[in-house]
Amino acid sequence: MSPIPPEGSIYERFRTLDTDRTSKLDRARACSALTIPSVLPPETWTEQEDLIQPSSSMPSRGVTNLASRMLSALIPLNDLPFFTFEAESGINLEPKLQAYLQSLSLQVYTKIVGKNFRETIFSALQHLIITGDCILIMEDDFNYRLIRQDHYVVRRDIVGQPIEIIHLEFAANDSSLPALENYGVSDSNNRKGYETVYVRLTYNKEEKEWDVLRENEEGDFISSGKYKVIPYACLRWIGIPGENYGRSHCEEIFGDIQSLEAYTQAMLEGMAAASAFWIGINPAGVTNIEDVAGRDNGSYISARREDVFTLSPSDTLTPQIQSISTAVEAMRREVSVAFLMSAGAIPSGDRVTATAVRMIGSELETILGGAFSSIAREMMEPIVKRAVFVMIDEKLIDPQLAQEFADDGKLSVEIVTGLQALSRDTDLTKLIQLGEMVRNLPPQSLATFKWDAYTTALISSLGFDPTNWVKSEEEVQLEQQAAMQQQMAMQAEAQGAQQAMAAASGIAQQAIGQRLAPGQA
């Protein structure tokens, strides 16, 4: 056994804060058990044990569907940055400076998404939907890793910003292979063959830096340091005022998920019971069991039809199974709506119109308004700031920009993904409808319509880069100037030709006059 750590160690601090969130972890594990059990397994679970699988796969598919939709909204597949660099004051920058910031954002975006970015973000979204909390870490080599909820504790200030984070890291043991058997699994914070390291981060308001301290489980010092730009994104689905941890999407609809699980389990058990049957023999009849049991199919037996019959509970259980199936379908629709699964939310029937389908889709898109906006900001903004800081440190970006991206600098990071990104699939249809409506407007209204902005939005909805298809104002002005110069040159050439023809005509008339002059005399 390891020695008792000294008082005031990070280990003791972690245990103190860990006891304050017991109910939170219980709720998160209950949500995980009914959706994806591997996201947050039971406390004493090890890799050698099997996880209990839920009876209904609808919540699991719903989590995957919702995480996929949010991933497509946060990180579009059109290779366009999900952020922009804007002036802190909000003023409009010069075109050259704006173009430079655009190219800078593309350079940073290419560096961010180069490795395991998308798969880690997808896993983080699953954790947020199910458990409500997780930590995303960006390493200096632009690799990303995730810390699940039972491996860290956090304290937040009055506005919800983290001021203290303690998380676990697992360092591989350097001893020989037989010695690894000495590392038993006593709780969920130990891993066989690894040594647990406790990392504590505290925010220094005066220096505006993060102090980092690492200790082992016995309280021995390992290392320390500082972060000017923290590589941690401490995420939560929905923040509750006064609480250090968030609430998950599954926790909000836990009643529906639990009811669906209970109904599905009852339906499966009823169907299994209804499928059972037995062959009965009338004990008072002339047919013996030995005459029937064990005989081959098609063989002759001595039996009377009235003495042999079938016993099955299906006739009795059929009404109950039908009522349970109706309840299961109703709960599946409720869960489908909560997870933005529009196909499962649309009712079946001959009178379901296209307008009803569009209304259901619009309703689904507005369910995640506040949660999606906060997640997009809290997840992506720290990643972009840390990426800029690392690229400046590696001299991939002009070091003079370091001061501009500081807290008191002139540049800020703006995340462009928002609620509208959830409806990306229907943007193209809406834009086409808008174009058809604008064509029917009077000429006065057509003159005020911004066709360049419409073209940019239309091309972006198709997943292409608008800069490759839409001309800039400078290009349009240069083409207009070139066209005017060409037109002026053509006019000058035409005028020169007319003058030449006029001069030639005058010379010809003068020559004719000279020839006719002697005859007239």
Side-chain angles (χ1 to χ4, degrees):
M1 295 180 61
S2 11
I4 299 176
E7 295 184 2
S9 64
I10 302 179
Y11 175 85
E12 289 295 331
R13 179 66 174 169
F14 180 86
R15 292 302 183 187
T16 301
L17 296 177
D18 188 34
T19 55
D20 296 337
R21 56 164 190 162
T22 304
S23 59
K24 166 61 180 175
L25 285 178
D26 292 341
R27 295 195 303 269
R29 287 193 172 99
C31 293
S32 179
L34 296 181
T35 52
I36 305 178
S38 59
V39 168
L40 191 62
E43 184 177 358
T44 58
W45 178 82
T46 61
E47 296 179 359
Q48 290 76 23
E49 300 176 1
D50 294 332
L51 289 170
I52 299 177
Q53 296 300 322
S55 301
S56 175
S57 63
M58 176 64 73
S60 174
R61 289 187 283 119
V63 171
T64 303
N65 174 79
L66 182 56
S68 300
R69 291 194 64 178
M70 295 182 67
L71 180 67
S72 300
L74 290 171
I75 315 172
L77 295 175
N78 54 8
D79 291 334
L80 293 179
F82 53 82
F83 59 91
T84 58
F85 296 132
E86 304 290 345
E88 187 71 31
S89 58
I91 61 174
N92 294 327
L93 302 176
E94 298 179 359
K96 292 184 178 180
L97 184 56
Q98 189 68 33
Y100 172 74
L101 292 179
Q102 253 184 344
S103 64
L104 180 63
S105 64
L106 183 59
Q107 181 183 358
V108 175
Y109 171 77
T110 304
K111 196 71 175 177
I112 288 176
V113 301
K115 296 187 178 179
N116 62 334
F117 183 64
R118 293 189 66 91
E119 50 264 38
T120 309
I121 295 298
F122 179 77
S123 180
L125 291 173
Q126 284 185 321
H127 279 257
L128 291 175
I129 295 170
I130 296 174
T131 67
D133 295 89
C134 69
I135 288 182
L136 181 66
I137 301 179
M138 190 192 81
E139 305 290 351
D140 291 345
D141 59 352
F142 291 92
N143 276 307
Y144 302 86
R145 60 189 176 98
L146 197 65
I147 301 178
R148 71 188 194 195
Q149 191 179 64
D150 59 340
H151 286 169
Y152 78 92
V153 292
V154 63
R155 284 197 313 116
R156 299 178 183 269
D157 59 12
I158 193 173
V159 296
Q161 296 297 324
I163 57 177
E164 181 183 10
I165 300 174
I166 302 177
H167 71 90
L168 308 183
E169 288 184 352
F170 302 98
N173 187 14
D174 295 332
S175 59
S176 59
L177 185 59
L180 297 181
E181 298 177 356
N182 297 330
Y183 284 84
V185 181
S186 58
D187 54 36
S188 61
N189 297 329
N190 290 328
R191 293 176 60 188
K192 188 175 182 179
Y194 292 83
E195 181 181 1
T196 305
V197 177
Y198 290 82
V199 183
R200 184 185 185 190
L201 298 94
T202 53
Y203 183 66
N204 191 333
K205 293 184 179 180
E206 297 179 357
E207 300 293 336
K208 293 184 178 181
E209 294 178 344
W210 285 84
D211 298 326
V212 186
L213 181 62
R214 288 179 172 84
E215 294 180 359
N216 59 15
E217 197 169 2
E218 291 78 22
D220 299 330
F221 172 81
I222 297 178
S223 64
S224 63
K226 293 181 180 295
Y227 281 124
K228 291 184 179 179
V229 180
I230 187 172
Y232 292 70
C234 192
L235 307 173
R236 52 182 179 173
W237 180 263
I238 293 179
I240 305 298
E243 295 187 6
N244 293 318
Y245 303 94
R247 301 296 176 94
S248 68
H249 185 62
C250 291
E251 188 175 346
E252 294 179 340
I253 60 171
F254 185 75
D256 291 344
I257 298 177
Q258 194 175 31
S259 299
L260 176 60
E261 175 69 13
Y263 287 145
T264 304
Q265 184 177 359
M267 183 180 68
L268 294 176
E269 292 175 352
M271 294 174 64
S275 63
F277 67 94
W278 301 270
I279 304 299
I281 302 294
N282 185 4
V286 298
T287 305
N288 296 324
I289 295 179
E290 292 79 5
D291 297 335
V292 178
R295 304 299 292 271
D296 296 333
N297 290 334
S299 59
Y300 293 95
I301 60 174
S302 177
R304 189 172 63 172
R305 182 187 299 272
E306 292 80 5
D307 294 342
V308 183
F309 54 91
T310 303
L311 292 175
S312 176
S314 59
D315 297 336
T316 306
L317 293 177
T318 297
Q320 288 83 349
I321 293 176
Q322 291 178 352
S323 61
I324 294 176
S325 299
T326 304
V328 169
E329 291 299 325
M331 296 313 303
R332 282 182 176 178
R333 284 195 296 269
E334 294 295 328
V335 174
S336 298
V337 170
F339 285 115
L340 305 189
M341 300 174 69
S342 56
I346 297 175
S348 59
D350 298 335
R351 298 184 178 182
V352 180
T353 62
T355 303
V357 173
R358 285 195 298 268
M359 291 178 63
I360 293 173
S362 301
E363 182 181 358
L364 296 180
E365 292 169 4
T366 57
I367 290 178
L368 299 180
F372 183 78
S373 300
S374 63
I375 290 172
R377 183 183 66 257
E378 294 180 0
M379 178 183 293
M380 297 305 179
E381 190 172 345
I383 292 175
V384 176
K385 289 184 177 180
R386 180 66 182 179
V388 171
F389 177 81
V390 173
M391 294 179 70
I392 290 175
D393 189 59
E394 296 178 354
K395 297 183 180 179
L396 299 176
I397 298 178
D398 188 358
Q400 297 180 357
L401 293 176
Q403 184 62 31
E404 303 300 333
F405 282 101
D407 294 338
D408 55 350
K410 298 180 181 179
L411 295 178
S412 62
V413 179
E414 297 294 334
I415 306 299
V416 297
T417 54
L419 179 61
Q420 293 79 9
L422 285 174
S423 58
R424 193 179 301 275
D425 297 338
T426 59
D427 283 349
L428 180 60
T429 304
K430 294 179 180 179
L431 287 171
I432 294 176
Q433 293 177 353
L434 176 63
E436 295 176 354
M437 294 172 59
V438 170
R439 293 189 186 95
N440 298 324
L441 295 176
Q444 296 83 359
S445 300
L446 285 175
T448 60
F449 188 75
K450 295 183 179 180
W451 289 102
D452 53 347
Y454 173 77
T455 307
T456 301
L458 186 64
I459 295 175
S460 299
S461 65
L462 291 172
F464 298 104
D465 187 357
T467 57
N468 297 330
W469 301 84
V470 181
K471 299 177 182 178
S472 62
E473 295 182 1
E474 296 180 354
E475 292 176 344
V476 173
Q477 292 177 359
L478 290 175
E479 290 183 356
Q480 291 177 351
Q481 292 177 359
M484 292 178 62
Q485 292 177 358
Q486 184 178 3
Q487 185 177 3
M488 292 175 62
M490 293 176 61
Q491 291 178 355
E493 184 178 356
Q495 291 178 357
Q498 292 178 359
Q499 292 177 359
M501 292 178 60
S505 177
I507 294 174
Q509 291 179 359
Q510 185 177 2
I512 294 174
Q514 290 177 356
R515 290 179 181 180
L516 296 177
Q520 292 176 355

